[in-house]
Amino acid sequence: MSKKFKFKSDKPKEKWRIFGCSDMQLESDYVKGPHLELFGNREIIVEGCMGVLEYSDSYLKLRLPKGALTVCGGCFDIVSFEGTTITVKGKISSLEFCV
């Protein structure tokens, strides 16, 4: 067979160079990073939560592997916290990431 069928493109890797990520760094961050699911402004599920840093009437601060997530709003209720997955219900007005 000729060599023209063995052509390998670098284009998929180029998009990650724009963000300054190498292949190894991207894979490790993707696997270990948090995963958020929002259900309207009433419920949030965070996978990858390492613990609760602060809990008050107006905000909830969660510890993540690389920083923190602040959930602002009110009437918060921690429904479940199993392993690294936390489910919070309440009135969510904003989310803030701190790295």
Side-chain angles (χ1 to χ4, degrees), residues 63-79:
R63 183 172 164 240
L64 301 177
K66 293 184 180 179
L69 170 67
T70 304
V71 182
C72 300
C75 303
F76 291 122
D77 181 28
I78 298 176
V79 178

Side-chain angles (χ1 to χ4, degrees), residues 83-95:
T84 61
T85 302
I86 188 168
T87 303
V88 179
K89 287 188 177 183
K91 295 179 183 178
I92 301 168
S93 60
S94 67
L95 299 174

Side-chain angles (χ1 to χ4, degrees), residues 1-97:
M1 296 209 145
S2 69
K3 291 184 180 181
K4 66 180 179 179
F5 292 110
K6 295 181 181 179
F7 177 75
K8 185 176 179 181
S9 173
D10 288 332
K11 286 186 180 181
K13 295 179 183 179
E14 289 176 10
K15 63 183 175 184
W16 299 115
R17 290 184 193 140
I18 294 171
F19 298 106
C21 299
S22 66
D23 291 338
M24 289 295 289
Q25 185 180 14
L26 176 69
E27 289 177 17
S28 64
D29 288 345
Y30 181 74
V31 172
K32 295 179 184 176
H35 176 83
L36 305 173
E37 291 184 30
L38 285 168
F39 300 95
N41 65 340
R42 296 289 182 179
E43 183 178 356
I44 185 169
I45 298 175
V46 181
E47 294 176 3
C49 177
M50 307 302 287
V52 178
L53 295 173
E54 295 180 44
Y55 185 72
S56 74
D57 293 337
S58 59
Y59 70 94
L60 177 68
K61 194 169 189 178
L62 305 175
R63 183 172 164 240
L64 301 177
K66 293 184 180 179
L69 170 67
T70 304
V71 182
C72 300
C75 303
F76 291 122
D77 181 28
I78 298 176
V79 178
S80 68
F81 192 12
E82 298 176 7
T84 61
T85 302
I86 188 168
T87 303
V88 179
K89 287 188 177 183
K91 295 179 183 178
I92 301 168
S93 60
S94 67
L95 299 174
E96 298 175 10
F97 289 95

